[in-house]
Amino acid sequence: MPVEYLAASRSFFLHAKDTTYAFQILNGWPVHLYWGPPLTAQNLTDFLPLRARGFVCQQGDYPLDNIPLEFPVYGTSDYRSPAIEIFQPADGSRILDLRYAGHTVSAGKPALAGLPASYTDADGEAQTLTLKLEDQLLGLRVELLYSVFANSPVITRSVKLSNLGRQPLSIRRLLSCSVDFSAAFGDYHLLQLHGTWARERDLSCARLRPGSQSIESRRGASSHQHNPFFALTELAASEEHGRVYAFNLVYSGNFLANVEVNYDGNPRAQLGLNPFDFSWQLAPGQSFQSPEAVLAFSGSGLGRLSRELHRFTRRHICRGSWRDRARPVLLNNWEATYFNFNADRLAGIAATAAECGVELFVLDDGWFGQRDNDQSSLGDWVVDLQKLPGGLADLVRRINGLGLQFGLWFEPEMVSPDSDLYRAHPDWCMHVPNRHRTTGRNQLVLDFSRPEVCEHIYRQIAALLRGTPIRYIKWDMNRHLTEIGSAQLPPERQQETAHRYLLGLYALMERFVTEFPDILFEGCSGGGGRFDLGILHYMPQIWTSDNSDAIARLRIQHGTSLAYPLSSMAAHVSAVPNHQNHRVTPYDTRGCVAATGAFGYELDLAKLSADDLAATKRQVACYKQVRGLLANGDLYRLKSPFTTSEAAWMVVAADRREALVTHVWQLIESNPRDHYLYLRGLDPALTYQLAGTDQLWRGDALMSAGLPVPRPQADFTSTQWHLVAQ
Ligand code: GLA
């Protein structure tokens, strides 16, 4: 039974795969008991720190400021960071007293109104506990949803508020989860993914210290700067060992992740909508749904955590017909031509791509309006007949004639001040009256909190998709929000704008994926500026970074892989010197590093040397052989590009009969030492053949004696081994 209730101690035990999470109702409060390796349901009250201590105590109650709470409120004797704050305009009070008011258990995983969320294919894959809390004075109902997954060490949490009272309420803060770890927890690291454009998801790991540490976005998108994923890891945790507690949010906008360590060293970890510049008016009879938090546990290190999160994301976050399908090898024209193309040039590039076995040609920015640079036309989704005189239909016919499918770039959320759309509707962008409208990359952000704005964009794009066989869409978002305000909302609702923008965006994405289920959607945001579980619910892959340099990508992809599956990471082979950092790397290394679950090219193949062109054909053929393995296999990170001068990883099939191992040198040393890779995840008793040779190795030797890495001759060289069990 995933959800077990012990009536005698009023405690709940949530048993997901390989982990248990438990709490108990005490004085009406849900008090956190435990989260970690599987635990038999039992009375754990004796393990709680229920001593009278401190100088404030509610009458007849325990002092709360050291008690682990499931959903802490402001205004009691708990001085730590609350999960919820409600302002009561009638009397100015912010005090809440939420007490147990019942619970239900249901099969499966309910959808969340208006928001992306995890789901199951069959009810047996999860069970959901809804815990009802109520503030009797206000008539506020809080429903805490806990979904427990049978095939993942994952529990998801979200919160629904309902105003059942007579007074309007204002939500000032509503986090999706709050977890109080006890002192027994010991010393932990906070692991986070941070960065900026072209340096996304760099890894930082620092020891927790007393006080609050937070990671957040105030940019209107989950951002390049901080990813909503974070983890608490035992100090000695590694890829293979140690306890790891991970958190992520199924949301693409402003978020707050906060870890507060109190005076006794007990951390409180919280994640949810960022309360910064947020408030929401909740009239009597209305409800508000929070985004969903994903909580995952691994008792054996980060490697196991990632593999479980990858499976969970592939099966319970990503949806649609492309979820389990092999992704096409694509060629994107962006770095090949930028804005400088016409139909013949595109068809020429596509022809060489077709010869190499590429399956999909993607036309990036610059095909619409009069967009010869980044200064105009966003919002005018009408084909530029100067560049494409036969229209889109003619170009698609030519591309299809070469045996390639066709894909197209859009940036639906944006408007250029120099566009017909902006001239017709200057109030359709985010703005605050009488204030300057800050442009970013010469563009403004459309106010997607307004249904008529979303409707207009939907109609333009849907008309194009209905009239042309477009099989893939790259959905870009190249700047963050500023002057956040909506012309349509009254003054007291202006702080709802950023969240309403996301609700409008999600509704639009839902419409597109529902109406065009066969289109493969790829998310993008100035590279990887919106790489999160919210986007992955609509689009199974995301452009990982605008930085296409293979060596820079080692870190970006390693960091991203902590939380997100390879199948979600788009990666392309590009030209050298690299356009972002001017580095020159071998063609094979560019191929190895780009061979993730979503592989492609982003250069003019016709400009390659004969050797590189031949290599392209080999790469494409090889990728097609292993793409199923890469998309669905188990990832083992063998060498970290953050701590070694190498990087190595391997992907192993579920039945352990096939593996692809990749090793890349960053800077080599002179007279290099011998290096070995201790492979993981193979079957020790099986004998593996190195594909294309008669070389045979046993699994136990590869894992215990180690696979010798060829001595490097130059920086940035790489080796790949494709192992197939005999
Ligand atoms: C963003 C994307 C790029 C490309 C350009 C086009 O930067 O990340 O891949 O699509 O926009 O303007």
Side-chain angles (χ1 to χ4, degrees):
M1 263 272 282
V3 177
E4 237 183 311
Y5 178 59
L6 302 188
S9 57
R10 302 183 85 196
S11 45
F12 295 87
F13 283 77
L14 315 183
H15 305 289
K17 177 189 171 193
D18 298 337
T19 183
T20 299
Y21 183 107
F23 57 89
Q24 166 173 19
I25 305 300
L26 207 65
N27 276 11
W29 304 307
V31 168
H32 181 78
L33 291 172
Y34 174 83
W35 183 21
L39 192 68
T40 308
Q42 57 196 284
N43 188 337
L44 289 177
T45 314
D46 291 346
F47 292 75
L48 281 169
L50 297 178
R51 50 204 158 126
R53 182 170 155 171
F55 58 90
V56 177
C57 199
Q58 286 183 201
Q59 259 187 340
D61 289 341
Y62 300 101
L64 292 176
D65 75 339
N66 200 30
I67 291 185
L69 297 165
E70 280 298 298
F71 201 65
V73 300
Y74 169 72
T76 66
S77 55
D78 179 16
Y79 295 97
R80 292 163 292 179
S81 165
I84 178 171
E85 279 179 78
I86 301 288
F87 180 73
Q88 298 139 48
D91 60 3
S93 167
R94 287 92 56 222
I95 308 301
L96 282 182
D97 190 0
L98 293 173
R99 306 270 177 149
Y100 174 81
H103 72 270
T104 54
V105 176
S106 55
K109 168 70 188 37
L112 303 185
L115 285 167
S118 61
Y119 70 96
T120 54
D121 286 328
D123 276 354
E125 293 173 7
Q127 218 176 38
T128 298
L129 165 69
T130 304
L131 187 74
K132 285 187 199 131
L133 308 176
E134 271 177 21
D135 183 304
Q136 301 260 323
L137 189 68
L138 286 186
L140 178 70
R141 171 171 297 167
V142 175
E143 287 166 86
L144 304 184
L145 252 71
Y146 296 82
S147 294
V148 187
F149 285 79
N151 52 18
S152 295
V154 166
I155 289 160
T156 60
R157 287 187 60 177
S158 70
V159 187
K160 183 177 168 191
L161 299 188
S162 302
N163 184 350
L164 309 179
R166 293 209 191 101
Q167 306 291 337
L169 301 173
S170 173
I171 308 170
R172 294 268 171 95
R173 177 187 184 94
L174 183 65
L175 300 180
S176 303
C177 70
S178 185
V179 181
D180 283 343
F181 295 90
S182 77
F185 188 72
D187 280 338
Y188 271 67
H189 275 135
L190 169 62
L191 182 151
Q192 68 188 86
L193 302 175
H194 66 102
T196 182
W197 178 80
R199 276 196 274 118
E200 294 91 340
R201 287 168 297 287
D202 212 325
L203 240 174
S204 155
C205 206
R207 202 177 179 130
L208 286 182
R209 53 173 170 71
S212 287
Q213 297 157 75
S214 61
I215 303 156
E216 64 186 309
S217 169
R218 300 175 185 159
R219 295 170 169 265
S222 49
S223 87
H224 305 79
Q225 283 70 17
H226 296 286
N227 194 269
F229 167 85
F230 72 97
L232 301 185
T233 70
E234 266 182 330
L235 288 195
S238 63
E239 283 292 321
E240 304 294 324
H241 303 286
R243 289 190 187 193
V244 183
Y245 296 84
F247 296 79
N248 205 344
L249 195 64
V250 191
Y251 191 61
S252 315
N254 293 341
F255 72 90
L256 171 70
N258 188 53
V259 183
E260 180 177 358
V261 178
N262 82 347
Y263 52 79
D264 271 347
N266 303 333
R268 167 173 288 177
Q270 301 180 311
L271 180 62
L273 272 178
N274 199 337
F276 175 82
D277 196 29
F278 167 81
S279 68
W280 193 278
Q281 307 296 309
L282 199 66
Q286 287 185 339
S287 295
F288 182 86
Q289 174 64 54
S290 84
E292 178 171 275
V294 173
L295 283 61
F297 172 77
S298 159
S300 36
L302 286 163
R304 171 81 196 284
L305 175 86
S306 298
R307 288 187 287 281
E308 293 290 0
L309 287 176
H310 294 175
R311 258 193 292 274
F312 177 79
T313 305
R314 292 193 308 248
R315 295 185 54 172
H316 299 297
I317 297 284
C318 298
R319 295 176 297 166
S321 63
W322 282 100
R323 186 184 87 166
D324 304 319
R325 262 160 79 188
R327 310 287 162 75
V329 179
L330 66 80
L331 182 132
N332 177 305
N333 76 308
W334 179 240
E335 287 196 21
T337 67
Y338 295 102
F339 295 101
N340 183 19
F341 59 81
N342 58 31
D344 288 341
R345 177 140 193 238
L346 296 177
I349 295 173
T352 319
E355 279 169 33
C356 294
V358 169
E359 297 158 309
L360 169 75
F361 177 83
V362 178
L363 174 54
D364 208 279
D365 196 354
W367 58 268
F368 52 92
Q370 292 170 1
R371 192 156 161 96
D372 297 325
N373 51 45
D374 61 13
Q375 288 172 21
S376 79
S377 302
L378 293 171
D380 299 342
W381 301 108
V382 179
V383 70
D384 178 356
L385 293 173
Q386 300 274 329
K387 283 184 190 157
L388 307 174
L392 217 43
D394 181 60
L395 178 67
V396 177
R397 241 190 323 275
R398 289 175 73 175
I399 301 291
N400 289 166
L402 295 164
L404 293 172
Q405 305 223 301
F406 184 81
L408 198 57
W409 179 96
F410 287 96
E411 198 176 356
E413 297 153 74
M414 298 292 154
V415 63
S416 307
D418 180 5
S419 66
D420 292 342
L421 180 65
Y422 190 73
R423 282 182 283 273
H425 298 286
D427 68 326
W428 275 16
C429 67
M430 287 273 170
H431 69 283
V432 174
N434 305 318
R435 294 285 177 192
H436 175 68
R437 298 177 183 194
T438 303
T439 51
R441 208 195 186 204
N442 309 302
Q443 63 202 52
L444 295 163
V445 183
L446 284 172
D447 181 0
F448 268 24
S449 74
R450 297 176 65 166
E452 71 274 34
V453 177
C454 295
E455 182 64 29
H456 176 86
I457 295 297
Y458 165 76
R459 285 200 184 154
Q460 281 195 73
I461 296 179
L464 272 171
L465 299 183
R466 285 191 202 113
T468 329
I470 293 170
R471 296 283 176 252
Y472 158 107
I473 285 182
K474 180 173 171 188
W475 182 304
D476 211 339
M477 194 264 190
N478 275 318
R479 59 154 293 181
H480 293 146
L481 278 54
T482 52
E483 292 88 33
I484 296 176
S486 173
Q488 210 188 35
L489 292 172
E492 68 279 11
R493 287 192 178 270
Q494 287 297 318
Q495 287 188 309
E496 297 178 10
T497 310
H499 182 57
R500 285 185 184 274
Y501 175 87
L502 264 298
L503 296 179
L505 174 69
Y506 289 143
L508 188 62
M509 287 180 169
E510 184 69 38
R511 233 171 140 179
F512 278 118
V513 300
T514 308
E515 187 172 340
F516 303 100
D518 293 327
I519 292 183
L520 170 60
F521 285 85
E522 177 168 316
C524 180
S525 177
R530 208 164 53 180
F531 206 119
D532 58 63
L533 296 177
I535 296 298
L536 287 174
H537 190 61
Y538 304 94
M539 312 188 174
Q541 61 188 58
I542 300 177
W543 181 226
T544 315
S545 174
D546 273 347
N547 193 337
S548 62
D549 167 57
I551 300 305
R553 274 291 184 122
L554 294 174
R555 283 173 166 239
I556 295 168
Q557 292 176 189
H558 180 106
T560 307
S561 80
L562 280 172
Y564 304 99
L566 291 186
S567 58
S568 68
M569 284 190 234
H572 299 168
V573 174
S574 62
V576 292
N578 178 267
H579 292 196
Q580 289 77 39
N581 63 14
H582 313 290
R583 189 179 276 134
V584 176
T585 50
Y587 198 71
D588 283 350
T589 299
R590 282 177 270 157
C592 285
V593 175
T596 66
F599 173 71
Y601 291 83
E602 188 145 339
L603 75 178
D604 188 345
L605 291 169
K607 291 187 178 155
L608 290 182
S609 67
D611 280 356
D612 285 351
L613 202 59
T616 307
K617 291 178 186 164
R618 283 199 305 276
Q619 278 172 4
V620 173
C622 168
Y623 176 76
K624 285 178 181 169
Q625 269 177 28
V626 295
R627 64 180 154 191
L629 166 68
L630 291 172
N632 299 309
D634 283 328
L635 174 74
Y636 291 82
R637 290 176 295 256
L638 304 175
K639 297 263 184 178
S640 166
F642 291 96
T643 52
T644 69
S645 57
E646 307 154 75
W649 62 96
M650 64 188 287
V651 182
V652 185
D655 64 5
R656 302 196 287 175
R657 299 193 61 83
E658 190 184 3
L660 188 75
V661 185
T662 306
H663 178 278
V664 180
W665 287 103
Q666 300 191 70
L667 296 181
I668 61 165
E669 57 183 2
S670 313
N671 188 14
R673 281 166 267 236
D674 292 329
H675 284 254
Y676 292 85
L677 286 180
Y678 295 94
L679 303 193
R680 302 262 177 261
L682 299 176
D683 184 334
L686 283 177
T687 298
Y688 293 86
Q689 180 165 14
L690 181 63
T693 73
D694 47 17
Q695 191 79 53
L696 297 176
W697 295 307
R698 260 179 67 105
D700 55 359
L702 290 168
M703 293 195 288
S704 301
L707 173 66
V709 176
R711 289 179 75 120
Q713 304 299 323
D715 292 342
F716 314 138
T717 47
S718 58
T719 314
Q720 207 162 46
W721 298 261
H722 182 196
L723 304 171
V724 183
Q726 280 206 307

